[in-house]
Amino acid sequence: MTRLYNDPAAFADEALEGFAAAHHRWVRPVPGGVVRATAKTEGQVAVVIGGGSGHYPAFSGLVGQGLAHGAAVGNVFASPSAQQIRTVARAAHAGGGVLLLYGNYAGDVLHFGQAAERLNAEGIATRTFAVTDDLSSATPDEAHKRRGIAGDLPVFKAVAAAAEQGLPLDEVARVAAHANARTRSFGIAFSGCTLPGADHPLFTVPKDRMAVGLGIHGEPGIGEAAVPTADEAAELLVSTLLKELPEGVAGPHGQRAAVILNGLGSVKYEELFVVYRRVAQLLADAGVHTVDPEVGELVTSFDMAGISLTLTWLDDTLEALWTAPADAPAYRKGNVPQAAAAEEEAAYETGSEPEPYVANDESRKAAATALDALGRIKKTIDTHADELGRIDAVTGDGDHGIGMQRGSAAAYEAALRAQELGAGAQSLLMAAGDAWADRAGGTSGALWGIILSAVADALGDTERPTPATVAHGVRQASDAVRRTGGAEVGDKTMVDVLVPFADTLSQQVEEAAELIAAWARAADVAEQAARDTARLVPRMGRARPHAEKSLGTPDAGAHSLALIVRAVHGALTTCQ
């Protein structure tokens, strides 16, 4: 388990700070992550990678010459926010555009996509690409739904080497797609990982059993089997990967492959070498020529006891990119001439205070109620954070409580600053939404930023909110979450609560109910809807491969939303 930490909510930030201090020859810190400490090559495509903390050396340890130009690092097992990604990308940009690379997880897709939109709007040509190497997380006909695990590394490596060659942005993006299409991974685990501050692992495996087909965020595997010998583990990993060859690879004989035997956190290097001994034999017997194999910890999951095997089927282009030199804190290959250090650090956005807001007294009164509601939300989340983490850990990564704590606290603090500057309801909630999304990261961070922004737009800064405008804002939030996240009622997400809550609130207001009464009725419906998610199986996100395991447990996002709308009702009651 993780024993050395201070405040668990600050673990990711403090780990990044210490990493940057220890590796200043390679990296320098910027808000939200790190970039290369060496001088930029003007006109070169900037490769910016990223994801949650807890996977070192991914992602910060892979920044350096021949590898990434920058890494955006989120909270534990949560994607970095769009603002973090944008800040890192702007610091890494050298005039040739930016390619954002990340694993295929809902929060990463949302935040990296939003960052790309903003960067493109600013005139920085930006593309995105999600790695999808884990064959256990979806069938071949739904390969686009697969998550990214240790296959991140060969894709990142190929893309970065292509950028070093001076290829233009569209060509570098094509290399990403090509490397990803020829990369497959599969993993097993003997015990789950424990997050900082937690007193139990995210999942457990019965004695003398192993989880098969797991991810890198503490998700349990898709099945169990008896604990194998080292040779049996190698045979399972190799045989599974050889069953699914990429298009264009007719058979393994005569093929070349980059091979990664990856330790997930607490399997010792000697154990990995024992397994790799048999992996190498099996691949040779199948006629596969291994090229520059890697054995070690490349993409971890805190202290998870597990391993994964990755094969990237090489052609001439990919082999040259895989074997190209690189020099990063946690990954070195060949001889990289040391580049000059960056002459000066760029100025980065620091979130300076805005000018005083323009709002009328009626809107400022509504802003005071909104501030009270945000304070109640923060207290409610603090009270239930452990419970939310426990629910999330049943089929997910257990980070929902921590993420919601970070987001709600940041939202309240931002709203308090906005009120001190005279903000109306719209400006105060916009500031809160931006802060929630930025601080929490992850899927829930992005969606709560969207919710608060949608309500803010409906309320405005220059008029007294009415029940109709509040109901309209909630309806807009519901529509925006469904549009952005892609979930619908029945998918076992927060949408299963948000939609009936918005529908009930609108119906009650249309029937002339006062806002307090309408909200109370809608909150009742939300609470029942949250309980009803226990009967559903997930059809989206990380929990989807573990659908049956979630039966009997409500969705964490749905449950937290029900808690929040009840807390807001308390603020509405007090303001009258």
Side-chain angles (χ1 to χ4, degrees):
M1 62 184 293
T2 306
R3 296 178 175 85
L4 296 174
Y5 55 87
N6 297 308
D7 178 358
F11 183 88
D13 295 335
E14 292 180 348
L16 185 63
E17 181 182 353
F19 164 78
H23 296 97
H24 55 81
R25 180 169 81 81
W26 291 273
V27 302
R28 57 188 173 90
V30 296
V34 294
V35 295
R36 290 186 189 179
T38 50
K40 297 178 181 179
T41 301
E42 290 304 317
Q44 188 176 100
V45 173
V47 176
V48 174
I49 63 177
S53 297
H55 304 303
Y56 190 83
F59 296 89
S60 55
L62 303 179
V63 174
Q65 292 175 264
L67 255 168
H69 296 77
V73 183
N75 191 28
V76 173
F77 291 173
S79 69
S81 71
Q83 180 59 29
Q84 287 178 285
I85 298 160
R86 176 171 162 263
T87 302
V88 173
R90 292 178 74 231
H93 182 234
V98 176
L99 179 60
L100 303 176
L101 289 168
Y102 47 91
N104 188 35
Y105 300 93
D108 293 286
V109 172
L110 284 173
H111 285 289
F112 278 90
Q114 291 173 354
E117 289 179 4
R118 295 188 64 181
L119 289 164
N120 280 309
E122 294 171 6
I124 298 176
T126 304
R127 305 286 185 273
T128 66
F129 191 83
V131 179
T132 57
D133 61 300
D134 178 22
L135 59 76
S136 72
S137 54
T139 58
D141 59 334
E142 290 189 316
H144 64 285
K145 294 183 179 180
R146 289 176 170 173
R147 56 198 173 194
I149 53 174
D152 283 354
L153 175 60
V155 177
F156 294 171
K157 178 67 172 60
V159 169
E164 294 281 5
Q165 291 178 356
L167 296 181
L169 179 58
D170 287 343
E171 287 296 322
V172 174
R174 275 191 278 273
V175 168
H178 182 50
N180 182 69
R182 296 176 72 93
T183 300
R184 302 286 188 275
S185 299
F186 187 73
I188 59 177
F190 313 105
S191 68
C193 60
T194 305
L195 299 184
D199 58 5
H200 57 275
L202 292 177
F203 70 90
T204 57
V205 181
K207 185 179 180 181
D208 299 325
R209 304 286 288 176
M210 69 173 176
V212 178
L214 70 154
I216 57 167
H217 292 91
E219 309 99 323
I222 59 174
E224 288 183 3
V227 172
T229 64
D231 283 0
E232 289 169 344
E235 289 157 11
L236 172 63
L237 295 171
V238 172
S239 64
T240 301
L241 292 180
L242 292 185
K243 286 176 184 176
E244 184 185 314
L245 299 177
E247 185 177 351
V249 179
H253 190 77
Q255 299 290 339
R256 294 163 287 167
V259 183
I260 298 174
L261 183 62
N262 178 59
L264 282 158
S266 63
V267 175
K268 305 304 295 182
Y269 271 69
E270 287 85 350
E271 295 174 272
L272 293 174
F273 291 134
V274 172
V275 174
Y276 186 74
R277 160 192 155 276
R278 183 58 177 154
V279 167
Q281 292 169 355
L282 292 167
L283 291 174
D285 290 346
V288 179
H289 301 286
T290 60
V291 179
D292 279 7
E294 297 284 350
V295 179
E297 294 184 344
L298 284 310
V299 181
T300 62
S301 183
F302 273 111
D303 60 336
M304 185 187 293
I307 59 176
S308 65
L309 182 66
T310 298
L311 298 180
T312 297
W313 298 92
L314 302 173
D315 54 19
D316 290 345
T317 297
L318 289 178
E319 181 170 354
L321 298 173
W322 173 244
T323 58
D327 182 26
Y331 188 90
R332 298 166 203 172
K333 178 179 289 188
N335 181 28
V336 178
Q338 184 61 38
E343 292 184 1
E344 60 182 42
E345 294 191 2
Y348 304 107
E349 296 176 73
T350 58
S352 57
E353 294 289 359
E355 296 295 324
Y357 296 97
V358 176
N360 64 16
D361 289 342
E362 292 290 351
S363 186
R364 288 192 176 109
K365 288 180 182 178
T369 300
L371 180 64
D372 182 27
L374 288 166
R376 292 170 183 264
I377 289 170
K378 178 183 178 300
K379 291 179 181 178
T380 297
I381 295 301
D382 285 343
T383 299
H384 294 274
D386 290 344
E387 175 193 12
L388 294 173
R390 177 188 58 78
I391 293 172
D392 189 38
V394 172
T395 56
D397 53 21
D399 71 333
H400 189 68
I402 292 176
M404 292 292 286
Q405 273 189 301
R406 287 167 61 105
S408 59
Y412 177 72
E413 292 165 4
L416 187 60
R417 290 193 298 271
Q419 186 196 47
E420 292 170 352
L421 292 167
Q426 180 180 26
S427 295
L428 183 139
L429 286 174
M430 286 293 290
D434 287 346
W436 193 313
D438 185 39
R439 188 62 178 157
T443 307
S444 65
L447 297 182
W448 273 101
I450 289 169
I451 289 170
L452 293 177
S453 296
V455 175
D457 284 340
L459 299 187
D461 276 335
T462 58
E463 57 191 41
R464 182 172 184 265
T466 66
T469 57
V470 172
H472 175 67
V474 173
R475 171 76 72 185
Q476 291 294 103
S478 175
D479 292 344
V481 166
R482 291 161 67 192
R483 183 172 59 252
T484 303
E488 294 294 342
V489 172
D491 287 343
K492 194 164 188 173
T493 70
M494 70 185 304
V495 167
D496 289 296
V497 171
L498 185 55
V499 169
F501 175 76
D503 289 347
T504 304
L505 184 64
S506 294
Q507 179 184 2
Q508 292 289 305
V509 168
E510 288 170 2
E511 294 174 358
E514 292 294 326
L515 181 58
I516 293 175
W519 195 283
R521 174 59 186 147
D524 291 341
V525 170
E527 289 170 344
Q528 184 59 53
R531 289 191 290 269
D532 288 345
T533 61
R535 301 201 298 264
L536 301 174
V537 293
R539 299 195 297 231
M540 293 189 69
R542 294 177 189 168
R544 181 177 52 82
H546 319 292
E548 298 303 321
K549 293 183 179 180
S550 76
L551 281 173
T553 302
D555 176 70
H559 184 49
S560 62
L561 175 56
L563 292 171
I564 284 172
V565 297
R566 181 61 70 187
V568 172
H569 179 252
L572 294 174
T573 302
T574 302
C575 79
Q576 295 297 309

